[in-house]
Structures are given as structure tokens and as C-alpha cells.
Amino acid sequence: MSLSEREAFLAGPHVGVLAVGDDGAQPAGRLLAVPIWYSYRPGGVLTILTGRDSAKARRIRASGRFALCAQQEEPPCRYVSVEGPVVAIEDGVDPAERAAMAHRYMPPATARAYLAATTEQLTADIAIRMRPERWLSADFAAVAARFDARTEARTDGRPEARSDARSGRTGAEEGAEHPEPGRG
């Protein structure tokens, strides 16, 4: 994926998987990986909302950075993973930002009910903002197209095409790293 494709994908309403290292309270090397709602606008920061005293918040404060992976599970599968430094931790959550996050992930009536039932989170939660520095992504549409071509070749009597589709490689896209926008 190009950087603009990655940013557009990350801006979509995918549940992310946040990953962060230990905070010193656990045995060294223990990682935390949990699903989480997030928001992102191309070229901006990635924002999560979480409890002030949650394991996520403690670990992010200790490490000063985290990673998040968003994926599309339906074929053709795609993912974007970002990692970077925390640029802000804001105590309390702006009600408009919290409402926008809820409406991003829920139907309108469900979001309204959720927001009404959880108003205490406005003071119990914090907003954590991360600037993506390292980007990894893959779009398996190219792999799927190769398999589709191989299947068609087998059904029409032509010899099976040989490619790297057996390995699942997607060429330069897979695992390619791109610095943040404007830095090369």
C-alpha cells in the first residue's frame, strides 16, 4: 500500500489491536495486546481513550510509545500497523471527541444509549495521542488475484501459472516500512 492508502485505511472504522510493553510491575518482557477503539485522520495523530488507571494507560506512560494494528478480516485481507511515540496524554475526555468515537463504532441509537449509560468515563478516562512513525502494511488482494488466476488456469486446461503466490508474498508492499509523512 502507498502511504496515502495506508492512512486512508487506518482512518476507517476498524477495531485496533493495541500492543505495548511492560510497565515494570510485571516480569520483564511481558507484552499487552488488546482490542481498542481509536480515531485517526490522515497526517494526524492516532488517539485512544482508556481508563486513567488501566493496564494500557500504566504501560503506555511507562514506555512512552505503543503500536496499533488495524485489519480487514474479509477477503481480500489487509492490515496497517503503526508504532510511535506518545505526544500527549490528556486527563479527562472531551465529550464531543468521546461521542464521535462511539458513533464511529456503533449505530446511532446504540451510541446514544452507550454514551448516556457511561457518562462517568468523561472524568475517569484519558485521551492518549500517538504520532505514527513506523508503518507496516499488506494488501492481500494481489495474492488473491494470483490464486484466482491459477484456479482459472486449471479449469480451462492451461498449465498452472508459477508465481510467488504459494509463499503469500505481496511484493514490495508486504512489510514495507514508510516514515511518517513528509520525512522521506
Side-chain angles (χ1 to χ4, degrees):
M1 287 184 210
S2 69
L3 184 57
S4 62
E5 290 170 328
R6 291 168 185 224
E7 289 187 316
F9 182 86
L10 190 61
H14 307 283
V15 173
V17 176
L18 178 140
V20 64
D22 66 64
D23 62 359
Q26 301 78 30
R30 290 226 174 134
L31 300 176
L32 176 70
V34 293
I36 193 163
W37 292 352
Y38 70 92
S39 64
Y40 175 75
R41 288 200 176 106
V45 295
L46 184 140
T47 300
I48 63 164
L49 308 178
T50 190
R52 178 179 297 107
D53 298 318
S54 68
K56 293 182 290 286
R58 286 191 314 271
R59 287 168 176 244
I60 290 170
R61 279 190 194 102
S63 69
R65 59 191 314 111
F66 65 92
L68 184 129
C69 182
Q71 68 178 2
Q72 173 182 303
E73 294 181 10
E74 312 81 40
C77 298
R78 300 184 297 165
Y79 78 87
V80 170
S81 178
V82 293
E83 184 261 333
V86 171
V87 295
I89 298 178
E90 299 166 9
D91 202 12
V93 175
D94 175 2
E97 183 173 25
R98 185 167 174 271
M101 185 90 66
H103 284 278
R104 172 179 165 89
Y105 288 100
M106 297 181 196
T110 306
R112 285 190 300 275
Y114 167 79
L115 291 165
T118 59
T119 56
E120 76 283 351
Q121 288 182 343
L122 288 170
T123 56
D125 282 1
I126 58 175
I128 301 175
R129 306 192 195 282
M130 179 260 281
R131 182 176 36 85
E133 283 183 341
R134 183 175 177 224
W135 293 75
L136 301 172
S137 67
D139 183 343
F140 294 101
V143 172
R146 286 188 217 131
F147 279 109
D148 288 345
R150 288 174 56 184
T151 301
E152 288 173 16
R154 278 185 247 133
T155 60
D156 69 5
R158 293 182 298 167
E160 184 176 316
R162 297 283 180 201
S163 71
D164 64 351
R166 290 169 288 156
S167 69
R169 292 181 177 251
T170 59
E173 301 170 350
E174 185 176 7
E177 295 183 35
H178 292 275
E180 78 175 291
R183 291 198 178 185

